[in-house]
Amino acid sequence: MALHRFQKGELGHWLRVVADNGEPGAEQTEVPEHVATALETLRCIEAGADGRWLITGKGRLALRMEEPGAIHVR
């Protein structure tokens, strides 16, 4: 099984989509199956009880590291 090769900024983009989809009343944006599989393999997301994707602790960390103010970016 080949993993999706994320381009610069793409990991953060899809994690943000999953996070936004989890907000109450949010318009749902489709996450491509190959991207969801890659994020799940990386343990950045997991399936919730209702079948929707949820961000894991590792995924939240990856989102924080993508932010412009992250300590490693300074």
Side-chain angles (χ1 to χ4, degrees), residues 7 10 26 28 36-38 40 43 45-48 53-54 58-59 62-63 65 69:
Q7 299 297 317
E10 189 179 10
Q28 298 298 297
T37 300
E40 187 176 26
R43 297 185 179 155
I45 63 172
E46 62 188 9
W53 293 114
L54 303 172
K58 184 177 179 182
L63 275 176
M65 291 181 72

Side-chain angles (χ1 to χ4, degrees), residues 7-74:
Q7 299 297 317
K8 183 175 181 176
E10 189 179 10
L11 175 68
H13 166 76
W14 287 114
L15 286 173
R16 176 59 47 210
V17 168
V18 172
D20 290 347
N21 283 348
E23 293 295 319
E27 182 178 326
Q28 298 298 297
T29 303
E30 187 70 27
V31 178
E33 185 65 32
H34 68 283
V35 172
T37 300
L39 291 174
E40 187 176 26
T41 301
L42 292 170
R43 297 185 179 155
C44 291
I45 63 172
E46 62 188 9
D50 60 358
R52 293 192 318 178
W53 293 114
L54 303 172
I55 299 286
T56 64
K58 184 177 179 182
R60 284 189 294 277
L61 176 62
L63 275 176
R64 281 196 302 271
M65 291 181 72
E66 288 282 328
E67 293 175 357
I71 194 165
H72 72 282
V73 178
R74 294 183 202 169

